[in-house]
Amino acid sequence: MILAGAPNPAEVSNDHFAVIVGGIVAVLVALCTLAGIVIPLLIRARNEAAAANEQVSNNHVKPDGTPINLREEQDERHGENASVLGEIRTDVKSIIQTLAVHGFRLDRHHDQIEDIERTLDRRPE
């Protein structure tokens, strides 16, 4: 069965052959160009992934030789830090309360000093 308007394979000229070969060559050139761009990017991505893996890999051990789970270690450190921050917060609140008491006392003493200064005899001698 031959499609209407399609050339008969026996009648394919050198012009058609040149177009087909040119198309194949164009596709090969495009693939090589694309490979020249993609392959260096893939190599770079592989190298960066290896560097990241080196930075986050867990290669330290406990004194008894068992490996330390990085996530568990970070959770423990977070718990320790949260505890210390809680203590600091309590200390700061206590300091603020102490400063408020001292501020109140200073105000009261300042008022008393002003009262005394108002009652001083300011007559020249």
Side-chain angles (χ1 to χ4, degrees):
M1 172 181 190
I2 297 177
L3 297 174
N8 184 351
E11 297 175 356
V12 174
S13 68
N14 283 339
D15 291 339
H16 289 106
F17 182 73
V19 169
I20 293 171
V21 170
I24 291 172
V25 168
V27 168
L28 288 175
V29 168
L31 287 175
C32 289
T33 303
L34 184 62
I37 294 170
V38 171
I39 288 175
L41 291 175
L42 290 174
I43 291 171
R44 181 177 172 194
R46 182 190 66 199
N47 292 340
E48 289 177 359
N53 184 41
E54 175 65 28
Q55 294 297 317
V56 299
S57 65
N58 189 18
N59 59 3
H60 54 288
V61 293
K62 295 179 182 178
D64 64 3
T66 59
I68 297 174
N69 183 298
L70 183 63
R71 177 61 184 226
E72 291 174 2
E73 183 180 33
Q74 293 302 320
D75 288 344
E76 288 173 9
R77 288 182 181 171
H78 177 73
E80 292 170 2
N81 289 339
S83 174
V84 170
L85 287 174
E87 292 174 13
I88 291 171
R89 176 180 278 172
T90 301
D91 292 345
V92 169
K93 285 180 180 179
S94 175
I95 291 169
I96 289 172
Q97 289 173 347
T98 302
L99 287 173
V101 169
H102 288 301
F104 175 76
R105 288 180 182 167
L106 285 173
D107 286 344
R108 193 176 68 206
H109 292 307
H110 181 71
D111 291 343
Q112 289 173 346
I113 291 170
E114 284 182 347
D115 289 343
I116 292 171
E117 286 179 345
R118 262 188 263 122
T119 60
L120 287 177
D121 184 10
R122 300 199 185 264
R123 292 180 287 181
E125 293 181 17

